[in-house]
């Protein structure tokens, strides 16, 4: 109607609500975590297990098996189920693990041993096996 060359958009903003949110954000204390002093060590593990086992149960089991609070994060990055796996009632879940100690540098050999311990724990507790 105005013969504009481009699309036009309209937005209504509640300035009072935005101002109130900004004031609240400034008044609340900020929680800042210092940067870690020691480097992390990363590992990926891919497991084949029963399809009815939730990924969160696997992550909890990994944390329990690793012990000492050395697992900084566990992230599911792949879920896979082939037709053969489906018939067998299985699926594959792959996790990215980050290990870090708060008081020392972890050695590769130590993390390898923890990872093997985690895998053995998962084999016993969840009847999981490493995906080849």
């Amino acid at each position: 109607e105005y013969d504009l060359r481009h699309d036009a958009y309209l937005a209504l903003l509640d300035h009072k609500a935005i101002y109130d949110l900004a004031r609240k954000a400034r008044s609340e204390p900020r929680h800042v975590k210092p940067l870690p002093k020691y480097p992390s060590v990363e590992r990926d593990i891919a497991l084949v297990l029963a399809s009815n086992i939730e990924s969160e149960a696997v992550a909890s089991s990994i944390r329990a098996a690793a012990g000492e609070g050395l697992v900084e994060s566990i992230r599911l990055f792949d879920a896979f189920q082939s037709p053969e796996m489906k018939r067998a009632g299985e699926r594959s879940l792959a996790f990215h693990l980050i290990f870090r100690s708060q008081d020392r540098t972890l050695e590769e050999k130590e993390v390898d041993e923890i990872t093997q311990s985690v895998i053995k724990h998962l084999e016993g507790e969840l009847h999981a096996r490493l995906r080849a």
Side-chain angles (χ1 to χ4, degrees):
E1 180 177 321
Y2 292 102
D3 196 29
L4 300 175
R5 294 182 197 175
H6 304 286
D7 292 337
Y9 299 94
L10 174 68
L12 298 175
L13 301 175
D14 184 344
H15 291 284
K16 182 174 177 352
I18 293 170
Y19 177 76
D20 290 343
L21 286 171
R23 281 188 55 205
K24 182 180 177 185
R26 281 194 307 260
S27 66
E28 291 179 359
R30 295 186 181 177
H31 302 283
V32 178
K33 225 167 104 173
L35 292 173
K37 291 181 182 177
Y38 301 99
S40 64
V41 180
E42 301 179 17
R43 294 288 185 272
D44 291 339
I45 58 172
L47 306 163
V48 176
L49 53 137
S51 58
N52 64 342
I53 297 175
E54 298 292 327
S55 63
E56 198 53 47
V58 179
S60 294
S61 190
I62 291 170
R63 279 193 198 286
E68 298 181 42
L70 296 178
V71 177
E72 184 175 274
S73 82
I74 301 171
R75 180 178 55 86
L76 175 71
F77 70 88
D78 184 43
F80 173 75
Q81 188 174 40
S82 68
E84 295 81 21
M85 292 171 120
K86 192 168 189 163
R87 280 193 293 277
E90 296 178 323
R91 68 177 171 164
S92 171
L93 299 177
F95 293 88
H96 181 72
L97 312 176
I98 299 177
F99 297 90
R100 185 188 318 264
S101 174
Q102 298 302 314
D103 59 0
R104 62 193 167 82
T105 298
L106 295 174
E107 295 182 21
E108 292 286 327
K109 182 180 177 186
E110 180 181 8
V111 174
D112 289 342
E113 289 171 0
I114 294 169
T115 303
Q116 288 305 313
S117 174
V118 164
I119 292 166
K120 285 190 186 313
H121 179 79
L122 294 171
E123 288 171 347
E125 184 176 297
L126 302 176
H127 306 291
R129 66 182 188 278
L130 275 180
R131 185 173 80 195

